Amino acid sequence: MVQCLISIEGIDLNAVNRAGETALDIAEKSGSPQLVSMLKEAGATRSKDDGRPPTAAKQLKQTVSDIRHDVESQLQHSRQTGFRVRKIAKNVKKLHISGLNNAINNATVVAVLIATVAFAAIFTVPGQYIEEKTDGVSLGEAHIARKASFIIFFLFDSMALFISIAVVVVQTSVVVIEQKAKKQLMFWINKLMWAACLSISISFISLTYVVVGEKERGLAIYATVIGSTIMLTTIGSMCYCVVRHRLEESRMRSIRRAETHSHSYSMSVASDTELYGENYKRMYAV
C-alpha cells in the first residue's frame, strides 16, 4: 500500500498530521524497517528535519502522540501474549485429558490382571487339597488351611480380587465427560488400585512362610523386608506427590480468586501465564 501511494506523481511525502508527525516519523515509531527504508528512498523526511523550531503546542502534541503510541503498543503486545498463552493452554489441556484417559484405561488393564492372579492363586495353594474323607476335615480342604499364614493369605487375596473386580465394574459402567469428574474418578480408582496392590503383596508374603518351611524361614523374612520396603516407599512417594499436587491446586485457586477482583488487563495476562506454567504439569499424581 505504501509503495502504491508513494508512486503517485505529486504526492506530498512530508505532510504532517495534527501531532506534527510525517509519514517517516510514524513508520519509525511503528518499528517497521522496511517502511522506513522505502520512505527514505522516496525522499521522505522527519518533521524535526524541516529546519523550523517546534512550537510549544507542537511539542505537547508530539509528546501526547508518543505516549498514546507507547500505550497502544503495550496493549497490543499484551493482547497477543494473552492469545498465545490461551492457545497453548488449550492444546496442553487436550494432552491433559488424553493422559487421564490413558491412565483410566491402564487402571482397567491392571485391575483385570490382579483379579486374574488373585482368582488363580486361591486354587493353586501349596500342598494341594484333601482328596480322601478324614475325620475332622472335609474333602477339598487345603492341607495348609489351618495355618495362620494361609488365613492371612486368604483374607488379603480375597480383598485384592474383589477390589479389582469392583474397579472393572466401575470402569465398564461409568462414562465420564467432564475433566474435573474424570480426575475425581481417577483419584478413587487409584486409591482402590493401591489397596489391591498392597493386598496382593501381603498375600504373596504370607504364603512364602508356608512355601519355604521352618528351616528356611530367613527367605520368607527376606521377602517380607524387600516387599515391605519397596511397597511402602512407593506408596509413600505417591502420597507425597498427591499432597503436593493438592497444595499447588489450592494455591492456584487462590490466585484465580485474586484475579477476579483485579480489573487490570496486564495483571490478567500475567496471571494467565502463571496459571499455564503452574496448573499444567508434565507429570503429577492424582
Side-chain angles (χ1 to χ4, degrees), residues 22-79:
T22 65
L24 184 58
D25 292 327
I26 298 174
E28 289 178 341
K29 285 184 179 180
S30 66
S32 176
Q34 186 178 3
L35 287 180
V36 173
S37 176
M38 190 183 302
L39 288 169
K40 284 184 176 180
E41 290 178 0
T45 60
R46 302 179 184 87
S47 59
K48 62 183 179 180
D49 296 336
D50 59 2
R52 293 174 297 176
T55 62
K58 186 175 181 180
Q59 288 181 337
L60 179 61
K61 289 182 179 180
Q62 183 67 34
T63 303
V64 172
S65 176
D66 292 341
I67 294 174
R68 183 177 62 183
H69 176 76
D70 291 340
V71 172
E72 289 177 351
S73 298
Q74 291 177 4
L75 288 176
Q76 181 66 21
H77 179 71
S78 298
R79 293 190 192 99

CSV table of all heavy atoms in Angstrom, one decimal, residues 22-79:
chain,number,residue,atom,x,y,z
A,22,THR,N,5.3,13.4,10.4
A,22,THR,CA,5.3,13.0,9.0
A,22,THR,C,5.1,11.5,8.9
A,22,THR,O,5.1,10.8,9.9
A,22,THR,CB,6.6,13.4,8.3
A,22,THR,OG1,7.7,12.7,8.9
A,22,THR,CG2,6.9,14.9,8.5
A,23,ALA,N,5.0,11.0,7.7
A,23,ALA,CA,4.9,9.5,7.5
A,23,ALA,C,6.1,8.8,8.0
A,23,ALA,O,6.0,7.7,8.5
A,23,ALA,CB,4.6,9.3,6.0
A,24,LEU,N,7.3,9.4,7.8
A,24,LEU,CA,8.5,8.8,8.2
A,24,LEU,C,8.6,8.7,9.8
A,24,LEU,O,9.0,7.7,10.3
A,24,LEU,CB,9.7,9.5,7.7
A,24,LEU,CG,11.1,8.9,8.0
A,24,LEU,CD1,11.2,7.5,7.5
A,24,LEU,CD2,12.2,9.8,7.5
A,25,ASP,N,8.1,9.7,10.4
A,25,ASP,CA,8.0,9.7,11.9
A,25,ASP,C,7.1,8.5,12.4
A,25,ASP,O,7.5,7.7,13.3
A,25,ASP,CB,7.4,11.0,12.5
A,25,ASP,CG,8.4,12.2,12.2
A,25,ASP,OD1,9.6,11.9,12.3
A,25,ASP,OD2,7.9,13.3,12.0
A,26,ILE,N,6.0,8.3,11.8
A,26,ILE,CA,5.1,7.3,12.2
A,26,ILE,C,5.7,5.9,11.9
A,26,ILE,O,5.5,4.9,12.6
A,26,ILE,CB,3.7,7.5,11.5
A,26,ILE,CG1,3.1,8.8,12.0
A,26,ILE,CG2,2.8,6.3,11.8
A,26,ILE,CD1,1.8,9.2,11.3
A,27,ALA,N,6.3,5.8,10.7
A,27,ALA,CA,6.9,4.5,10.3
A,27,ALA,C,8.0,4.1,11.3
A,27,ALA,O,8.2,2.9,11.7
A,27,ALA,CB,7.5,4.6,8.9
A,28,GLU,N,8.8,5.1,11.8
A,28,GLU,CA,9.9,4.8,12.7
A,28,GLU,C,9.3,4.3,14.1
A,28,GLU,O,9.8,3.5,14.8
A,28,GLU,CB,10.8,6.0,12.9
A,28,GLU,CG,11.7,6.2,11.7
A,28,GLU,CD,12.5,7.5,11.8
A,28,GLU,OE1,12.2,8.3,12.7
A,28,GLU,OE2,13.5,7.6,11.1
A,29,LYS,N,8.2,5.0,14.5
A,29,LYS,CA,7.5,4.6,15.7
A,29,LYS,C,6.9,3.2,15.7
A,29,LYS,O,6.9,2.4,16.6
A,29,LYS,CB,6.4,5.6,16.1
A,29,LYS,CG,6.9,6.9,16.6
A,29,LYS,CD,5.7,7.7,17.0
A,29,LYS,CE,6.2,9.1,17.6
A,29,LYS,NZ,5.0,9.9,18.0
A,30,SER,N,6.4,2.8,14.5
A,30,SER,CA,5.8,1.5,14.4
A,30,SER,C,6.8,0.4,14.4
A,30,SER,O,6.5,-0.8,14.5
A,30,SER,CB,5.0,1.5,13.1
A,30,SER,OG,5.8,1.6,11.9
A,31,GLY,N,8.1,0.7,14.2
A,31,GLY,CA,9.2,-0.3,14.2
A,31,GLY,C,9.2,-1.2,13.0
A,31,GLY,O,9.5,-2.4,13.1
A,32,SER,N,8.9,-0.5,11.8
A,32,SER,CA,9.0,-1.3,10.6
A,32,SER,C,10.2,-0.8,9.7
A,32,SER,O,10.0,0.2,9.0
A,32,SER,CB,7.7,-1.1,9.8
A,32,SER,OG,7.7,-1.7,8.6
A,33,PRO,N,11.3,-1.5,9.8
A,33,PRO,CA,12.5,-1.0,9.0
A,33,PRO,C,12.2,-1.0,7.5
A,33,PRO,O,12.7,-0.1,6.8
A,33,PRO,CB,13.5,-2.1,9.3
A,33,PRO,CG,13.1,-2.7,10.6
A,33,PRO,CD,11.6,-2.7,10.6
A,34,GLN,N,11.4,-1.9,7.0
A,34,GLN,CA,11.1,-1.9,5.6
A,34,GLN,C,10.4,-0.6,5.1
A,34,GLN,O,10.7,-0.1,4.1
A,34,GLN,CB,10.3,-3.1,5.3
A,34,GLN,CG,10.0,-3.4,3.8
A,34,GLN,CD,9.2,-4.6,3.5
A,34,GLN,OE1,8.8,-5.3,4.4
A,34,GLN,NE2,9.0,-4.9,2.2
A,35,LEU,N,9.4,-0.2,5.9
A,35,LEU,CA,8.7,1.0,5.6
A,35,LEU,C,9.6,2.2,5.7
A,35,LEU,O,9.5,3.2,4.8
A,35,LEU,CB,7.4,1.2,6.5
A,35,LEU,CG,6.3,0.3,6.3
A,35,LEU,CD1,5.2,0.6,7.3
A,35,LEU,CD2,5.7,0.4,4.9
A,36,VAL,N,10.4,2.3,6.7
A,36,VAL,CA,11.3,3.4,6.9
A,36,VAL,C,12.3,3.5,5.7
A,36,VAL,O,12.5,4.6,5.1
A,36,VAL,CB,12.1,3.2,8.2
A,36,VAL,CG1,13.2,4.3,8.3
A,36,VAL,CG2,11.2,3.3,9.4
A,37,SER,N,12.8,2.4,5.3
A,37,SER,CA,13.8,2.3,4.2
A,37,SER,C,13.1,2.8,2.9
A,37,SER,O,13.6,3.6,2.1
A,37,SER,CB,14.3,0.9,4.0
A,37,SER,OG,15.2,0.9,2.9
A,38,MET,N,11.8,2.3,2.7
A,38,MET,CA,11.1,2.7,1.5
A,38,MET,C,10.8,4.2,1.4
A,38,MET,O,10.9,4.8,0.4
A,38,MET,CB,9.8,1.9,1.5
A,38,MET,CG,9.0,1.9,0.2
A,38,MET,SD,7.4,1.0,0.3
A,38,MET,CE,8.1,-0.6,0.8
A,39,LEU,N,10.4,4.8,2.6
A,39,LEU,CA,10.1,6.2,2.6
A,39,LEU,C,11.3,7.0,2.4
A,39,LEU,O,11.3,8.1,1.7
A,39,LEU,CB,9.4,6.5,3.9
A,39,LEU,CG,7.9,6.0,4.1
A,39,LEU,CD1,7.5,6.2,5.5
A,39,LEU,CD2,7.0,6.7,3.1
A,40,LYS,N,12.4,6.6,3.0
A,40,LYS,CA,13.7,7.4,2.9
A,40,LYS,C,14.1,7.4,1.4
A,40,LYS,O,14.6,8.4,0.9
A,40,LYS,CB,14.8,6.8,3.8
A,40,LYS,CG,14.6,7.2,5.2
A,40,LYS,CD,15.7,6.6,6.1
A,40,LYS,CE,15.6,7.1,7.5
A,40,LYS,NZ,16.7,6.6,8.3
A,41,GLU,N,14.0,6.2,0.7
A,41,GLU,CA,14.4,6.2,-0.7
A,41,GLU,C,13.5,7.1,-1.5
A,41,GLU,O,14.0,7.6,-2.6
A,41,GLU,CB,14.3,4.7,-1.1
A,41,GLU,CG,15.4,3.8,-0.6
A,41,GLU,CD,15.2,2.4,-1.0
A,41,GLU,OE1,14.3,2.1,-1.8
A,41,GLU,OE2,16.0,1.5,-0.6
A,42,ALA,N,12.3,7.3,-1.1
A,42,ALA,CA,11.4,8.1,-1.9
A,42,ALA,C,11.6,9.6,-1.6
A,42,ALA,O,11.0,10.5,-2.2
A,42,ALA,CB,9.9,7.7,-1.6
A,43,GLY,N,12.4,9.9,-0.6
A,43,GLY,CA,12.7,11.3,-0.2
A,43,GLY,C,12.0,11.8,1.0
A,43,GLY,O,11.9,13.1,1.2
A,44,ALA,N,11.4,11.0,1.8
A,44,ALA,CA,10.6,11.5,2.9
A,44,ALA,C,11.6,11.9,4.0
A,44,ALA,O,12.7,11.4,4.1
A,44,ALA,CB,9.7,10.3,3.4
A,45,THR,N,11.2,12.9,4.8
A,45,THR,CA,12.0,13.4,5.9
A,45,THR,C,11.2,13.4,7.2
A,45,THR,O,10.0,13.3,7.2
A,45,THR,CB,12.4,14.8,5.6
A,45,THR,OG1,11.3,15.7,5.5
A,45,THR,CG2,13.3,14.9,4.3
A,46,ARG,N,11.9,13.6,8.3
A,46,ARG,CA,11.3,13.7,9.6
A,46,ARG,C,10.8,15.1,9.8
A,46,ARG,O,11.3,16.0,9.2
A,46,ARG,CB,12.3,13.3,10.7
A,46,ARG,CG,12.8,11.9,10.6
A,46,ARG,CD,13.8,11.6,11.8
A,46,ARG,NE,14.4,10.3,11.6
A,46,ARG,CZ,15.5,10.1,10.9
A,46,ARG,NH1,16.1,11.1,10.3
A,46,ARG,NH2,16.0,8.9,10.8
A,47,SER,N,9.8,15.3,10.7
A,47,SER,CA,9.3,16.6,11.0
A,47,SER,C,10.3,17.5,11.6
A,47,SER,O,10.4,18.7,11.4
A,47,SER,CB,8.1,16.5,11.9
A,47,SER,OG,8.4,15.9,13.1
A,48,LYS,N,11.3,16.9,12.4
A,48,LYS,CA,12.3,17.8,13.0
A,48,LYS,C,13.4,18.2,12.1
A,48,LYS,O,14.3,18.9,12.4
A,48,LYS,CB,12.9,17.0,14.2
A,48,LYS,CG,13.6,15.7,13.9
A,48,LYS,CD,14.0,15.0,15.1
A,48,LYS,CE,14.7,13.7,14.8
A,48,LYS,NZ,15.2,13.0,16.0
A,49,ASP,N,13.4,17.6,10.9
A,49,ASP,CA,14.4,17.9,9.9
A,49,ASP,C,14.0,19.0,8.9
A,49,ASP,O,14.8,19.3,8.0
A,49,ASP,CB,14.8,16.7,9.0
A,49,ASP,CG,15.4,15.6,9.9
A,49,ASP,OD1,15.9,15.9,11.0
A,49,ASP,OD2,15.3,14.4,9.5
A,50,ASP,N,12.9,19.7,9.2
A,50,ASP,CA,12.4,20.7,8.2
A,50,ASP,C,13.1,22.1,8.5
A,50,ASP,O,12.8,23.0,7.8
A,50,ASP,CB,10.9,20.9,8.3
A,50,ASP,CG,10.4,21.2,9.7
A,50,ASP,OD1,11.2,21.4,10.6
A,50,ASP,OD2,9.2,21.3,9.8
A,51,GLY,N,13.9,22.1,9.6
A,51,GLY,CA,14.7,23.4,9.9
A,51,GLY,C,13.9,24.4,10.7
A,51,GLY,O,14.5,25.4,11.1
A,52,ARG,N,12.6,24.2,11.0
A,52,ARG,CA,11.9,25.1,11.8
A,52,ARG,C,11.8,24.7,13.2
A,52,ARG,O,11.5,23.5,13.5
A,52,ARG,CB,10.5,25.3,11.2
A,52,ARG,CG,10.4,26.0,9.9
A,52,ARG,CD,9.0,26.0,9.3
A,52,ARG,NE,8.5,24.7,9.1
A,52,ARG,CZ,7.3,24.4,8.7
A,52,ARG,NH1,6.4,25.4,8.5
A,52,ARG,NH2,7.0,23.1,8.5
A,53,PRO,N,12.1,25.5,14.2
A,53,PRO,CA,12.0,25.1,15.6
A,53,PRO,C,10.5,24.8,16.0
A,53,PRO,O,9.6,25.6,15.6
A,53,PRO,CB,12.5,26.3,16.4
A,53,PRO,CG,12.3,27.5,15.5
A,53,PRO,CD,12.5,27.0,14.1
A,54,PRO,N,10.3,23.7,16.7
A,54,PRO,CA,8.9,23.3,17.0
A,54,PRO,C,8.3,24.3,18.1
A,54,PRO,O,9.0,24.7,19.0
A,54,PRO,CB,9.0,21.9,17.6
A,54,PRO,CG,10.5,21.8,18.1
A,54,PRO,CD,11.3,22.7,17.1
A,55,THR,N,7.1,24.6,17.9
A,55,THR,CA,6.4,25.4,18.9
A,55,THR,C,6.1,24.6,20.1
A,55,THR,O,6.1,23.4,20.1
A,55,THR,CB,5.1,26.0,18.3
A,55,THR,OG1,4.2,24.9,18.0
A,55,THR,CG2,5.4,26.8,17.0
A,56,ALA,N,5.6,25.3,21.2
A,56,ALA,CA,5.3,24.6,22.5
A,56,ALA,C,4.1,23.7,22.2
A,56,ALA,O,4.0,22.6,22.7
A,56,ALA,CB,5.0,25.6,23.6
A,57,ALA,N,3.1,24.2,21.5
A,57,ALA,CA,1.9,23.4,21.2
A,57,ALA,C,2.3,22.1,20.4
A,57,ALA,O,1.8,21.0,20.6
A,57,ALA,CB,0.9,24.2,20.4
A,58,LYS,N,3.2,22.3,19.4
A,58,LYS,CA,3.6,21.2,18.6
A,58,LYS,C,4.4,20.2,19.5
A,58,LYS,O,4.2,18.9,19.3
A,58,LYS,CB,4.5,21.7,17.5
A,58,LYS,CG,4.8,20.6,16.5
A,58,LYS,CD,5.6,21.2,15.3
A,58,LYS,CE,5.9,20.1,14.3
A,58,LYS,NZ,6.7,20.6,13.1
A,59,GLN,N,5.2,20.6,20.4
A,59,GLN,CA,5.9,19.7,21.2
A,59,GLN,C,5.0,18.9,22.1
A,59,GLN,O,5.2,17.8,22.4
A,59,GLN,CB,6.9,20.5,22.1
A,59,GLN,CG,8.1,21.0,21.3
A,59,GLN,CD,9.1,21.8,22.2
A,59,GLN,OE1,8.7,22.3,23.3
A,59,GLN,NE2,10.3,21.9,21.8
A,60,LEU,N,3.9,19.6,22.7
A,60,LEU,CA,3.0,19.0,23.5
A,60,LEU,C,2.2,17.9,22.7
A,60,LEU,O,2.0,16.8,23.2
A,60,LEU,CB,2.0,20.0,24.1
A,60,LEU,CG,0.9,19.4,25.0
A,60,LEU,CD1,1.5,18.7,26.2
A,60,LEU,CD2,-0.1,20.6,25.4
A,61,LYS,N,1.8,18.3,21.5
A,61,LYS,CA,1.1,17.3,20.7
A,61,LYS,C,2.0,16.1,20.4
A,61,LYS,O,1.6,14.9,20.4
A,61,LYS,CB,0.7,17.9,19.4
A,61,LYS,CG,-0.5,18.9,19.5
A,61,LYS,CD,-0.9,19.5,18.2
A,61,LYS,CE,-2.1,20.4,18.3
A,61,LYS,NZ,-2.5,21.0,17.0
A,62,GLN,N,3.3,16.3,20.1
A,62,GLN,CA,4.2,15.3,19.9
A,62,GLN,C,4.4,14.3,21.1
A,62,GLN,O,4.4,13.1,20.9
A,62,GLN,CB,5.6,15.9,19.5
A,62,GLN,CG,6.7,14.8,19.1
A,62,GLN,CD,6.3,14.1,17.8
A,62,GLN,OE1,5.7,14.7,16.9
A,62,GLN,NE2,6.7,12.8,17.7
A,63,THR,N,4.5,14.9,22.3
A,63,THR,CA,4.6,14.2,23.5
A,63,THR,C,3.4,13.3,23.7
A,63,THR,O,3.5,12.1,24.0
A,63,THR,CB,4.8,15.1,24.7
A,63,THR,OG1,6.0,15.9,24.5
A,63,THR,CG2,5.0,14.3,26.0
A,64,VAL,N,2.2,13.9,23.5
A,64,VAL,CA,0.9,13.1,23.7
A,64,VAL,C,0.9,12.0,22.7
A,64,VAL,O,0.5,10.9,23.0
A,64,VAL,CB,-0.3,14.1,23.6
A,64,VAL,CG1,-1.6,13.3,23.5
A,64,VAL,CG2,-0.3,15.1,24.7
A,65,SER,N,1.3,12.3,21.5
A,65,SER,CA,1.3,11.3,20.4
A,65,SER,C,2.2,10.1,20.8
A,65,SER,O,1.9,8.9,20.6
A,65,SER,CB,1.6,11.9,19.1
A,65,SER,OG,1.7,10.9,18.1
A,66,ASP,N,3.4,10.5,21.3
A,66,ASP,CA,4.3,9.4,21.7
A,66,ASP,C,3.8,8.5,22.8
A,66,ASP,O,3.9,7.3,22.7
A,66,ASP,CB,5.7,10.0,22.1
A,66,ASP,CG,6.4,10.7,21.0
A,66,ASP,OD1,6.1,10.4,19.8
A,66,ASP,OD2,7.3,11.6,21.2
A,67,ILE,N,3.2,9.2,23.8
A,67,ILE,CA,2.6,8.4,24.9
A,67,ILE,C,1.5,7.5,24.4
A,67,ILE,O,1.4,6.3,24.8
A,67,ILE,CB,2.1,9.4,26.0
A,67,ILE,CG1,3.3,10.1,26.6
A,67,ILE,CG2,1.3,8.6,27.1
A,67,ILE,CD1,2.9,11.2,27.6
A,68,ARG,N,0.6,8.0,23.6
A,68,ARG,CA,-0.5,7.2,23.1
A,68,ARG,C,0.0,6.0,22.3
A,68,ARG,O,-0.5,4.9,22.4
A,68,ARG,CB,-1.4,8.1,22.2
A,68,ARG,CG,-2.6,7.4,21.7
A,68,ARG,CD,-3.5,8.3,20.9
A,68,ARG,NE,-2.8,8.8,19.7
A,68,ARG,CZ,-3.4,9.7,18.9
A,68,ARG,NH1,-4.6,10.2,19.1
A,68,ARG,NH2,-2.7,10.1,17.8
A,69,HIS,N,1.0,6.3,21.5
A,69,HIS,CA,1.6,5.2,20.6
A,69,HIS,C,2.2,4.1,21.5
A,69,HIS,O,2.0,2.9,21.3
A,69,HIS,CB,2.7,5.8,19.7
A,69,HIS,CG,3.4,4.7,18.9
A,69,HIS,ND1,2.8,4.1,17.8
A,69,HIS,CD2,4.6,4.2,19.1
A,69,HIS,CE1,3.6,3.2,17.3
A,69,HIS,NE2,4.7,3.2,18.1
A,70,ASP,N,2.9,4.5,22.6
A,70,ASP,CA,3.5,3.5,23.5
A,70,ASP,C,2.4,2.7,24.2
A,70,ASP,O,2.6,1.5,24.3
A,70,ASP,CB,4.4,4.3,24.5
A,70,ASP,CG,5.6,4.9,23.9
A,70,ASP,OD1,6.0,4.4,22.8
A,70,ASP,OD2,6.2,5.8,24.5
A,71,VAL,N,1.4,3.4,24.6
A,71,VAL,CA,0.3,2.7,25.3
A,71,VAL,C,-0.4,1.7,24.4
A,71,VAL,O,-0.7,0.5,24.8
A,71,VAL,CB,-0.7,3.7,25.9
A,71,VAL,CG1,-2.0,2.9,26.4
A,71,VAL,CG2,-0.1,4.5,27.0
A,72,GLU,N,-0.7,2.1,23.2
A,72,GLU,CA,-1.3,1.2,22.2
A,72,GLU,C,-0.4,0.0,21.9
A,72,GLU,O,-0.9,-1.1,21.7
A,72,GLU,CB,-1.6,2.0,20.9
A,72,GLU,CG,-2.8,3.0,21.1
A,72,GLU,CD,-3.0,3.8,19.8
A,72,GLU,OE1,-2.2,3.7,18.9
A,72,GLU,OE2,-4.0,4.5,19.8
A,73,SER,N,0.9,0.3,21.8
A,73,SER,CA,1.8,-0.8,21.5
A,73,SER,C,1.8,-1.8,22.7
A,73,SER,O,1.8,-3.1,22.4
A,73,SER,CB,3.2,-0.3,21.3
A,73,SER,OG,3.3,0.6,20.2
A,74,GLN,N,1.8,-1.3,23.9
A,74,GLN,CA,1.8,-2.2,25.0
A,74,GLN,C,0.5,-3.0,25.1
A,74,GLN,O,0.6,-4.2,25.4
A,74,GLN,CB,2.0,-1.4,26.3
A,74,GLN,CG,3.4,-0.8,26.5
A,74,GLN,CD,3.5,0.0,27.7
A,74,GLN,OE1,2.6,0.1,28.5
A,74,GLN,NE2,4.7,0.7,27.9
A,75,LEU,N,-0.6,-2.4,24.8
A,75,LEU,CA,-1.9,-3.1,24.9
A,75,LEU,C,-1.9,-4.2,23.8
A,75,LEU,O,-2.4,-5.3,24.0
A,75,LEU,CB,-3.0,-2.1,24.7
A,75,LEU,CG,-3.3,-1.2,25.9
A,75,LEU,CD1,-4.4,-0.2,25.5
A,75,LEU,CD2,-3.8,-2.0,27.1
A,76,GLN,N,-1.4,-3.8,22.6
A,76,GLN,CA,-1.4,-4.8,21.5
A,76,GLN,C,-0.5,-6.0,21.9
A,76,GLN,O,-0.8,-7.1,21.6
A,76,GLN,CB,-0.9,-4.1,20.2
A,76,GLN,CG,-0.8,-5.0,19.0
A,76,GLN,CD,-2.2,-5.5,18.6
A,76,GLN,OE1,-3.2,-4.8,18.9
A,76,GLN,NE2,-2.3,-6.6,17.9
A,77,HIS,N,0.7,-5.7,22.5
A,77,HIS,CA,1.6,-6.8,22.9
A,77,HIS,C,0.9,-7.7,23.9
A,77,HIS,O,1.0,-8.9,23.9
A,77,HIS,CB,2.9,-6.2,23.4
A,77,HIS,CG,3.8,-7.2,23.9
A,77,HIS,ND1,4.5,-8.0,23.0
A,77,HIS,CD2,4.2,-7.5,25.1
A,77,HIS,CE1,5.3,-8.8,23.7
A,77,HIS,NE2,5.2,-8.5,25.0
A,78,SER,N,0.2,-7.0,24.9
A,78,SER,CA,-0.5,-7.8,25.9
A,78,SER,C,-1.6,-8.7,25.3
A,78,SER,O,-1.7,-9.8,25.7
A,78,SER,CB,-1.1,-6.8,26.9
A,78,SER,OG,-0.1,-6.0,27.6
A,79,ARG,N,-2.3,-8.2,24.4
A,79,ARG,CA,-3.4,-9.0,23.7
A,79,ARG,C,-2.8,-10.2,23.0
A,79,ARG,O,-3.3,-11.3,23.1
A,79,ARG,CB,-4.2,-8.1,22.8
A,79,ARG,CG,-5.0,-7.0,23.4
A,79,ARG,CD,-5.9,-6.4,22.4
A,79,ARG,NE,-6.5,-5.1,22.9
A,79,ARG,CZ,-6.1,-3.9,22.6
A,79,ARG,NH1,-5.0,-3.8,21.8
A,79,ARG,NH2,-6.7,-2.9,23.1
